[in-house]
Amino acid sequence: MKIEVLGMGCAKCAKLEENVRAAVAALGIEATIEHVKDMDRILDYGVLITPGLVVDGKVVASGKVPSREDIQKLIQG
């Protein structure tokens, strides 16, 4: 599984990455987590308001910081 956190490095983006790492650990799954700060790549996903969350190439959240529990639900589909 590949998870991408989209954002330029603001406090909300950092919190989202922290929540993603906690969710992955709580689920006990293997995942590659990448923090994407390149605006062109962020825009390629159609995300205009960061932070954004992408799971296996699909944008599952943008413009907010989901909780660890919400991220777990998004990861599990």
Side-chain angles (χ1 to χ4, degrees), residues 1 4 8-9 16-18 29 48 55 60-61 63 66 70 73 77:
M1 173 176 290
E4 296 169 279
M8 301 301 289
L16 177 56
E17 183 174 356
E18 179 184 315
I29 61 172
L48 300 177
V55 177
V60 296
D70 288 340
K73 291 175 189 170

Side-chain angles (χ1 to χ4, degrees), residues 10-72:
C10 66
K12 287 183 179 180
C13 300
K15 181 64 178 171
L16 177 56
E17 183 174 356
E18 179 184 315
N19 289 355
V20 165
R21 292 187 184 282
V24 168
L27 290 171
I29 61 172
E30 295 269 333
T32 301
I33 301 169
E34 179 184 358
H35 194 134
V36 177
K37 296 180 181 178
D38 177 24
M39 199 58 177
D40 289 333
R41 283 185 59 201
I42 293 169
L43 291 173
D44 284 345
Y45 280 112
V47 172
L48 300 177
I49 302 172
T50 59
L53 180 61
V54 178
V55 177
D56 289 333
K58 180 182 175 194
V59 177
V60 296
S62 68
K64 61 182 178 179
V65 180
S67 68
R68 178 185 59 97
E69 293 81 9
D70 288 340
I71 293 169
Q72 285 176 240

